[in-house]
Amino acid sequence: MTSTHAHAHPVGRLVDGYDPDGDVALGGYAGSLTTYGLVLAGIAAAGSASGHQLVERYDLADIALGGLAVHKFTRLLSKSSVAAPVRAPFTQFEGAAGSGEHVESAREDGGVRSTIGKLITCPFCLGVWIGTAYIAALNVAPRPARTWAALFAVTAVSDSMQHVYARLRGD
């Protein structure tokens, strides 16, 4: 039901008028938020059950390295040619974007497939999920988490250097 129709449910009435043309998939986004909340609760419950406590403070190096790694990893998942098979069930190829990246759009079936397509083609959106996984890993398995972060941070720096080199050469 689009938001142009009156909703009988109180929650439906809260969003009436938000998107009169029905361009925003509020149901899908609400589902994503709910899933994210459940994942967070599951991570917290699993950590508590296994005796892991959240660290009191995060080292600035872990945050910087992790931020760079999350950026690179989300870019790979959401845009890279090599990860296209992972996205293909949820997206439609629009064209090449250069530097081994694709432009894709979510499949518009109005359901879960469309919502997942929107999530995995948005590096900003995906970054929240990957960042959450990284911080959770720092709490339960810091050595592998830092190894993952170092790998993708080094890759991000290398990619940046490739772009600088190509620009200097005039490629």
Side-chain angles (χ1 to χ4, degrees), residues 35-57:
T35 301
Y36 182 74
L38 291 172
V39 166
L40 282 179
I43 289 170
S48 179
S50 66
H52 286 95
Q53 294 183 6
L54 294 175
V55 297
E56 188 173 329
R57 288 188 184 94

Side-chain angles (χ1 to χ4, degrees), residues 28-73:
Y29 295 148
S32 292
L33 288 170
T34 301
T35 301
Y36 182 74
L38 291 172
V39 166
L40 282 179
I43 289 170
S48 179
S50 66
H52 286 95
Q53 294 183 6
L54 294 175
V55 297
E56 188 173 329
R57 288 188 184 94
Y58 294 95
D59 189 276
L60 184 57
D62 284 332
I63 300 302
L65 196 67
L68 192 56
V70 167
H71 166 79
K72 178 59 184 172
F73 192 74

Side-chain angles (χ1 to χ4, degrees), residues 124-143:
F124 299 98
C125 308
L126 197 54
V128 174
W129 290 79
I130 303 302
T132 299
Y134 171 66
I135 293 298
L138 276 177
N139 282 276
V140 296
R143 188 171 292 192

Side-chain angles (χ1 to χ4, degrees), residues 70-88 91-93 95 97 100-106 116-127 130:
V70 167
H71 166 79
K72 178 59 184 172
F73 192 74
T74 57
R75 196 83 198 168
L76 279 170
L77 283 179
S78 64
K79 301 289 182 188
S80 74
S81 301
V82 73
V86 174
R87 296 186 308 272
T91 63
Q92 183 173 342
F93 179 76
E101 292 189 343
H102 289 175
V103 175
E104 296 169 343
S105 60
I116 293 171
K118 289 174 183 173
L119 173 67
I120 64 173
T121 57
C122 173
F124 299 98
C125 308
L126 197 54
I130 303 302

